[in-house]
């Protein structure tokens, strides 16, 4: 899912500021904002502990620095929420995380779950499939496998588990743009090591269920008036507005684990620009 909600051509705007030029602020204040914006596992759009919490923080910070005009714009957004997502092995439950939906098809299992023996396929290259059959089993592949996880389903795997390894792909792509029910889940390094998923085959059971819910997204709009705050047709160059924006939400191939540090840094930087401009 991309940030499709656009306002004035900018997705999910974190703040709109009129007039002025950017400036730098202190490192400590910047880090304070960055840590506050990334303290939760994700900033999913419209979710209370996600982008709404981030928007409330930005709203508060804009008011604290003296911006008088702060507006809130709410809009509907639909999100997939996992109501169950775990892996069972040897009678114990372990939390796992669903990969992003294939359009509107979330990673789910039948009510009774998906059971099978695991098979570790490394990076999922075709040569990795020559050692033993994958049909009817749970494929385990490295997180940085690129699109090779599709090979596992092509060879008859019931589900795919992405295991966290030391190497990380910069732009993972663990979904497809069609509503195919291909159960895909992320397993942390700790759980993968505890179960030995990369060393041996294990009998496991995956249970996952999701619900689609309508949430309320939240844009925060701060306005700083310039010297010609009202549009004047006779002096258009003196009446122009400058729009600066940054996305408040985050999303990733594992939505429930998308702290979005880079986007949070953009919001923090924009907040500091707003403070500088409000003092000029």
């Amino acid at each position: 899912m991309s940030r499709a909600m656009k306002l004035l051509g900018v997705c999910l705007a974190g703040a709109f500021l009129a007039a002025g030029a950017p400036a730098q602020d202190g490192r400590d204040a910047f880090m304070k904002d960055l840590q506050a914006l990334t303290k939760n596992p994700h900033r999913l759009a419209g979710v209370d502990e996600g982008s709404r919490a981030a928007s409330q923080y930005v709203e508060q910070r804009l008011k604290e620095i003296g911006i008088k005009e702060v507006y809130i714009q709410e809009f509907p957004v639909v999100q997939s929420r996992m109501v169950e997502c775990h892996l069972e092995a040897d009678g114990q439950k372990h939390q796992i995380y669903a990969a992003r939906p294939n359009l509107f098809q979330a990673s789910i299992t039948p009510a009774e779950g998906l059971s099978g023996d695991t098979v570790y396929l490394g990076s999922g290259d075709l040569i990795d499939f020559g050692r033993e059959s994958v049909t009817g089993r749970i494929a385990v592949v490295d997180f940085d496998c690129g699109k090779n996880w599709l090979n596992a389903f092509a060879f008859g795997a019931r589900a795919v588990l992405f295991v966290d390894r030391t190497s990380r792909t910069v732009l993972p792509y663990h979904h497809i743009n069609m509503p195919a029910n291909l159960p895909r889940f992320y397993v942390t390094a700790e759980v993968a090591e505890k179960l030995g998923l990369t060393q041996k085959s294990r009998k496991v059971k995956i249970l996952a269920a999701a619900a689609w819910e309508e949430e309320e997204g939240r844009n925060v709009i701060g306005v700083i008036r310039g010297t010609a705050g009202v549009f004047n047709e006779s002096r258009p160059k003196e009446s122009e507005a400058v729009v600066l924006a940054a996305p408040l939400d985050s999303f990733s191939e594992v939505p429930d684990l998308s702290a979005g540090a880079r986007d949070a840094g953009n919001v923090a930087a924009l907040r500091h620009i707003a403070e500088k401009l409000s003092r000029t």
Side-chain angles (χ1 to χ4, degrees), residues 18-276:
Q24 295 183 343
D25 243 340
R27 175 183 172 84
D28 291 342
F30 175 86
M31 291 303 298
K32 174 186 175 182
D33 287 337
L34 184 61
Q35 290 168 0
L37 291 166
T38 57
K39 68 177 182 178
N40 292 330
H42 63 77
R43 290 194 310 282
L44 292 178
V47 180
D48 286 340
E49 68 275 18
S51 73
R52 289 188 68 87
S55 72
Q56 290 162 0
Y57 175 82
V58 171
E59 177 187 4
Q60 175 187 348
R61 292 289 277 147
L62 290 178
K63 291 178 178 178
E64 287 175 353
I65 63 178
I67 295 182
K68 304 300 182 182
E69 294 185 61
V70 179
Y71 304 98
I72 303 301
Q73 181 187 59
E74 294 193 330
F75 54 89
V77 60
V78 178
Q79 285 285 2
S80 172
R81 180 177 63 86
M82 300 304 296
V83 296
E84 181 179 31
C85 195
H86 68 266
L87 179 149
E88 296 180 1
D90 298 331
Q92 293 186 327
K93 292 183 179 180
H94 305 274
Q95 184 177 13
I96 57 177
Y97 300 89
R100 66 184 288 178
N102 290 329
L103 296 182
F104 53 81
Q105 176 62 62
S107 284
I108 59 174
T109 67
E112 67 275 13
L114 282 176
S115 300
D117 295 324
T118 64
V119 53
Y120 177 57
L121 301 170
S123 61
D125 292 318
L126 290 178
I127 194 173
D128 297 319
F129 290 83
R131 302 184 181 96
E132 51 186 314
S133 175
V134 180
T135 304
R137 302 178 71 175
I138 308 297
V140 179
V141 297
D142 296 341
F143 186 78
D144 61 345
C145 66
K147 294 185 180 180
N148 287 346
W149 59 272
L150 286 166
N151 295 333
F153 285 111
F155 280 99
R158 304 192 71 191
V160 165
L161 298 177
F162 299 108
V163 293
D164 196 356
R165 307 284 281 176
T166 55
S167 176
R168 292 289 186 88
T169 181
V170 177
L171 294 173
Y173 199 89
H174 298 336
H175 72 284
I176 57 176
N177 291 319
M178 63 178 64
N181 186 16
L182 303 175
R184 295 146 293 121
F185 305 92
Y186 170 78
V187 183
T188 64
E190 293 76 15
V191 171
E193 182 177 358
K194 182 177 181 178
L195 297 179
L197 294 178
T198 62
Q199 282 81 42
K200 58 186 177 181
S201 178
R202 296 292 304 269
K203 174 74 74 174
V204 301
K205 184 180 189 179
I206 303 171
L207 293 105
W212 287 92
E213 299 178 342
E214 184 173 303
E215 310 287 356
E216 285 291 325
R218 201 169 185 268
N219 286 332
V220 182
I221 304 170
V223 178
I224 301 172
R225 298 288 177 180
T227 56
V230 179
F231 183 75
N232 187 334
E233 292 184 358
S234 64
R235 297 188 303 167
K237 291 185 178 180
E238 297 179 19
S239 305
E240 294 176 349
V242 176
V243 177
L244 304 177
L248 275 171
D249 71 327
S250 67
F251 202 72
S252 75
E253 296 302 293
V254 186
D256 287 336
L257 298 177
S258 54
R262 181 173 61 183
D263 286 341
N266 292 336
V267 174
L270 194 55
R271 204 284 303 168
H272 288 281
I273 292 173
E275 183 171 7
K276 285 293 185 182

